[in-house]
Amino acid sequence: MAPHRAKTSEVWNHFTEIEHEKAQCGYCSAKISTTRGSLSNLRRHMKAKHVLIPLNTNTRNAAAEIIDDPIMAGCELTQGPSTSQSTQGPSTSQSAQGPSTSETVPQTTAGPSGTSRHRTNGQTTLSGYFNQTKPLNVNHQKRIDHQLVKMIVKGYYPFDIVEDQEFQCLLKMLNGGYKLPSRKTVSNSMIPLLYHQTHEKIQVLMTNCFAVCLTTDGWTSIKNESYIGVTAHFIDEKASLQSVCLGCKKFEERHTSENLALFLKNTVREWNIENKVAAVVSDNAPNIVGAIRDCKFRHVPCFAHCINLVVQNGLKNISHVQKKVKSIVEHFKRSSHAQSKLQEMQQQMGLPPLKLKQDVVTRWNSTHDMFKRIMEIKDAVVSTLAILQCDVEQLTVVEWQIVEWSTNILQIFAEVTREISSERYVSMSKVLIFIRAMNDTMKSFQNNTALPNEAQDMVTTLLEKLNLRFSSYEDNEIVTQAALLDPRFKKMAFNGFNQRKLEVAIDQLKRKVCQVTLPGTANATTSTIVENPSTSSSSTPSTSLLWKIFDEQYELCQTSINPTAAGIIELDRYLQEPLINRFEDPLTWWTVHKELYPRLFIMVRKRLCVTVPCERLFSKAGMVITEKRSRMLVTKSSQVLFLNQNL
């Protein structure tokens, strides 16, 4: 049907009028109502069904380019029949068949009415936007470069990822104007630059911090190179626990106490924190313990490492059972046929498809995990071994009972290790509670007459080693004061211990608090601990005869309250505060109450910054220095580890 009037709206570039108050879409052949000449339905249809096609274009070449563009490959333009790549729209006589299938005519297209229209040269199509090659400005280029380096060091990617063709294609699709740096540029320029920038930021943090806890440990890479890492933990003025890596450097000297002490002294001197070290956490190796003492620092044994040593001693009582279980697991790990049979057996028995876990000496809790997993699929393992008739020595009924009991016995140690190994939360204040929990659990198993003899011997050994390694923690000032200063625990952390231990701990903390001098004040007064400091008045004597006598009495009263009394008042008031929920963050509580207890908050920054795990850094170091990165220079490895921890 011929149009009654000229179609001037751009929407008619996409539709053909087929009958009175009806129009047909040139892409999906849908028939849309145009009652009373309204074009709203047509526009709405384009926005809903053909969102990728510009409405205001006077040509269909844009739609064709979107379809042809490899970037948009797979994008569905319509929900109707697929459109051709023609630039010819449907004429009046072709309305029932949809868009024309004729050859594409360059530079010229025909609209639905059959009239020839020329492309507007100045208009940018969607594909042209993605394929733009206009160079980026310097700031934008630097921001993308920074994110690229951050991705490489945080995600353990090789430097030559920038030479990967698929990665280059991806970046070109995302932004054709970005110039990807070469591998050498990343390695020799960008990473060192980011390292120095990050080093300066960390230097500012360490200068402003009040007290730090250092954790240190050694590690040997796959290149047989020895590294020593040092991590600092501190609580900032906002009562937030921060952890930064001060360095992970190659150590070529012999690991003697003297050499390690010199390394630690140089590290704290480099970061200017000689007088800020509250404690140093390490494992129990005599050389590092001696080095820390030579530096005149307080040493705190790594709590998780001590637990692992306790467990390893206890496992010696069931070593023959452990060896048998390990050989069974190794058989299924080596044989793909046995592994597939085990999975089939689990499916037949309706068990979850689980794989056995191997015991690794250097991995904490791995023996417990191995026992727990094999007990979960015990029936499938026994049935599979019987069907395969392999030469693996199987467990007896009594030995299966030992494995089951051992899993339950070791559960408490696994839970404590997971809980204590978090660096983002206060951990030292929990130590006393965890020691009591492990002791009580072992005592309950010791009184259980159903335990097999081997399991009973293991419990006895575990209990002896717990007392040997952790009995001194009750007298450690750092441990006891951290527990008292945690608003979740306070005195309750000492439940189950001798009441005398609690009294000694409170007296020790009281002496420490009384020695605190608040910044900017020569003599601390009770005016610093009022709940609303803004209400305190000036102590300047009044010249008024009316207030002269009162002011003199006020000054006399203030001088009679010395810093010692103020510290005692703070501590007594704090200990009478109700406990907060154990799931709450204690540092959040101190953020709110640091003005109320300023002296105690200073002690909090000294005590609650002490974190007890020390081997977290090298769990990531092994992912940085891999077989594919074995040629990486030592200096570069140290920079990558530093950035990985601090970005």
Side-chain angles (χ1 to χ4, degrees):
M1 179 176 179
H4 297 290
R5 59 184 182 277
K7 302 296 188 290
T8 59
S9 174
E10 69 278 0
V11 76
W12 288 110
N13 292 323
H14 312 280
F15 291 88
T16 302
E17 189 176 18
I18 57 175
E19 58 185 70
H20 181 60
E21 296 184 346
K22 287 284 186 179
Q24 187 177 42
C25 177
Y27 307 104
C28 63
S29 301
K31 296 179 180 180
I32 312 297
S33 173
T34 58
T35 305
R36 298 179 182 178
S38 174
L39 304 181
S40 299
N41 291 340
L42 304 185
R43 293 190 178 91
R44 191 177 300 110
H45 175 80
M46 290 296 297
K47 292 180 180 180
K49 302 297 183 180
H50 312 294
V51 65
L52 296 179
I53 301 177
L55 184 63
N56 59 352
T57 183
N58 59 0
T59 178
R60 293 217 183 131
N61 279 353
E65 290 180 11
I66 292 173
I67 298 172
D68 292 337
D69 197 315
I71 298 176
M72 305 307 298
C75 294
E76 187 175 329
L77 298 180
T78 69
Q79 295 181 353
S82 61
T83 61
S84 69
Q85 297 180 359
S86 171
T87 58
Q88 175 99 12
S91 63
T92 305
S93 61
Q94 297 170 335
S95 59
Q97 288 79 21
S100 170
T101 58
S102 62
E103 294 289 336
T104 301
V105 181
Q107 303 296 334
T108 306
T109 59
S113 61
T115 60
S116 177
R117 299 179 182 271
H118 293 279
R119 177 190 298 183
T120 303
N121 294 329
Q123 187 173 17
T124 302
T125 63
L126 187 60
S127 60
Y129 170 79
F130 281 104
N131 291 327
Q132 62 178 331
T133 57
K134 181 180 179 181
L136 302 177
N137 61 59
V138 177
N139 291 333
H140 195 184
Q141 178 81 21
K142 287 183 178 180
R143 286 196 297 269
I144 300 180
D145 287 344
H146 177 272
Q147 185 59 37
L148 174 67
V149 178
K150 185 177 180 180
M151 180 198 76
I152 291 175
V153 299
K154 296 287 286 185
Y156 311 102
Y157 294 103
F159 297 160
D160 60 2
I161 189 175
V162 296
E163 298 176 350
D164 183 81
Q165 293 183 356
E166 298 303 325
F167 183 69
Q168 292 175 351
C169 182
L170 173 64
L171 289 186
K172 185 177 181 181
M173 288 181 177
L174 295 175
N175 195 325
Y178 174 64
K179 184 178 180 181
L180 194 65
S182 66
R183 177 183 61 83
K184 289 187 177 180
T185 301
V186 172
S187 177
N188 300 334
S189 299
M190 298 174 67
I191 285 183
L193 176 61
L194 184 57
Y195 170 79
H196 290 299
Q197 292 174 347
T198 308
H199 190 281
E200 291 178 357
K201 293 180 181 178
I202 301 301
Q203 186 70 69
V204 173
L205 289 177
M206 301 311 297
T207 301
N208 296 331
C209 71
F210 179 75
V212 298
C213 166
L214 301 180
T215 56
T216 182
D217 194 27
W219 173 73
T220 303
S221 70
I222 60 172
K223 298 166 61 177
N224 199 26
E225 294 175 339
S226 177
Y227 287 81
I228 294 183
V230 179
T231 307
H233 313 269
F234 61 94
I235 298 175
D236 58 21
E237 295 180 353
K238 298 180 181 179
S240 176
L241 182 62
Q242 305 289 339
S243 296
V244 296
C245 173
L246 299 184
C248 182
K249 301 179 180 179
K250 184 179 179 180
F251 194 78
E252 298 179 343
E253 305 294 333
R254 294 183 59 200
H255 288 205
T256 62
S257 297
E258 294 77 12
N259 293 334
L260 292 173
L262 181 61
F263 173 83
L264 290 176
K265 290 178 181 178
N266 291 336
T267 301
V268 297
R269 189 181 301 113
E270 175 188 351
W271 294 96
N272 195 25
I273 55 174
E274 296 98 322
N275 300 321
K276 298 180 180 181
V277 179
V280 180
V281 179
S282 73
D283 59 22
N284 296 309
N287 54 350
I288 188 63
V289 174
I292 294 171
R293 290 174 179 169
D294 290 344
C295 294
K296 309 301 181 182
F297 298 145
R298 289 188 175 184
H299 175 253
V300 176
C302 175
F303 190 70
H305 187 265
C306 292
I307 292 175
N308 182 58
L309 294 177
V310 169
V311 172
Q312 293 300 326
N313 278 279
L315 288 173
K316 292 178 181 179
N317 297 102
I318 58 168
S319 58
H320 64 289
V321 178
Q322 180 185 4
K323 185 177 180 180
K324 274 189 170 184
V325 175
K326 191 170 183 176
S327 64
I328 293 174
V329 175
E330 286 177 351
H331 174 73
F332 285 101
K333 291 292 183 181
R334 289 195 307 264
S335 173
S336 58
H337 174 67
Q339 179 64 35
S340 62
K341 287 295 184 181
L342 177 61
Q343 292 178 348
E344 291 177 5
M345 186 62 66
Q346 292 180 69
Q347 187 176 6
Q348 293 175 7
M349 293 183 172
L351 298 174
L354 301 176
K355 292 183 178 180
L356 294 172
K357 293 184 178 181
Q358 184 57 282
D359 179 16
V360 182
V361 176
T362 58
R363 205 176 108 217
W364 298 341
N365 301 323
S366 59
T367 304
H368 167 265
D369 295 339
M370 180 179 69
F371 285 174
K372 183 177 180 181
R373 177 55 54 87
I374 200 171
M375 289 303 304
E376 290 174 342
I377 55 176
K378 170 187 173 183
D379 295 337
V381 170
V382 173
S383 300
T384 304
L385 291 175
I387 293 174
L388 295 176
Q389 296 182 351
C390 52
D391 56 354
V392 179
E393 187 177 5
Q394 300 190 31
L395 299 174
T396 65
V397 176
V398 176
E399 289 173 339
W400 277 112
Q401 293 178 353
I402 294 174
V403 173
E404 183 178 6
W405 279 107
S406 299
T407 304
N408 297 331
I409 293 169
L410 298 176
Q411 178 67 29
I412 183 65
F413 299 99
E415 292 183 4
V416 170
T417 303
R418 284 194 297 268
E419 179 82 16
I420 209 69
S421 296
S422 173
E423 289 183 354
R424 294 191 177 275
Y425 304 96
V426 173
S427 54
M428 179 58 72
S429 58
K430 304 176 182 178
V431 165
L432 292 179
I433 296 176
F434 291 159
I435 293 174
R436 186 175 71 248
M438 291 186 292
N439 273 285
D440 291 346
T441 304
M442 291 304 102
K443 290 177 181 178
S444 65
F445 280 113
Q446 194 176 39
N447 297 329
N448 193 329
T449 56
L451 254 67
N453 293 333
E454 291 87 345
Q456 188 74 38
D457 294 339
M458 183 176 70
V459 170
T460 302
T461 302
L462 290 172
L463 195 55
E464 291 176 355
K465 296 301 179 180
L466 282 173
N467 293 328
L468 177 63
R469 291 195 175 273
F470 298 123
S471 59
S472 61
Y473 276 68
E474 305 169 21
D475 303 316
N476 190 308
E477 286 189 18
I478 296 177
V479 176
T480 57
Q481 291 173 15
L484 288 173
L485 291 170
D486 193 321
R488 298 171 297 177
F489 311 129
K490 298 182 184 178
K491 297 179 181 180
M492 284 190 64
F494 294 82
N495 286 352
F497 293 103
N498 191 323
Q499 184 65 23
R500 179 60 184 165
K501 301 287 186 181
L502 173 60
E503 296 174 358
V504 171
I506 293 177
D507 290 340
Q508 291 174 341
L509 179 58
K510 191 176 297 183
R511 287 196 298 270
K512 290 288 185 180
V513 174
C514 293
Q515 295 172 3
V516 172
T517 300
L518 297 181
T521 59
N523 292 314
T525 64
T526 54
S527 62
T528 59
I529 59 171
V530 293
E531 296 194 22
N532 186 5
S534 61
T535 60
S536 61
S537 59
S538 174
S539 60
T540 303
S542 174
T543 57
S544 172
L545 294 176
L546 178 64
W547 292 100
K548 181 179 180 180
I549 298 177
F550 176 82
D551 289 341
E552 291 175 353
Q553 293 176 345
Y554 173 81
E555 289 295 328
L556 182 62
C557 179
Q558 291 295 91
T559 55
S560 65
I561 303 179
N562 54 34
T564 300
I568 295 174
I569 292 173
E570 272 195 32
L571 181 59
D572 290 342
R573 183 185 298 183
Y574 162 75
L575 292 176
Q576 293 179 11
E577 289 260 14
L579 298 178
I580 64 174
N581 192 289
R582 71 177 180 88
F583 297 104
E584 297 183 38
D585 185 357
L587 295 181
T588 301
W589 187 91
W590 277 110
T591 303
V592 178
H593 295 81
K594 63 182 180 180
E595 299 294 337
L596 182 60
Y597 305 110
R599 294 173 180 81
L600 285 177
F601 182 65
I602 291 177
M603 291 302 303
V604 165
R605 297 181 69 181
K606 288 184 176 181
R607 293 293 180 256
L608 295 189
C609 70
V610 180
T611 181
V612 286
C614 68
E615 300 185 5
R616 296 287 299 272
L617 174 63
F618 295 116
S619 62
K620 296 183 178 180
M623 301 176 68
V624 172
I625 307 175
T626 62
E627 292 183 0
K628 292 183 178 181
R629 281 180 163 179
S630 59
R631 293 183 297 172
M632 183 185 295
L633 297 177
V634 173
T635 304
K636 196 68 62 185
S637 302
S638 298
Q639 291 178 350
V640 171
L641 283 168
F642 181 86
L643 292 173
N644 179 276
Q645 294 290 302
N646 294 325
L647 284 180

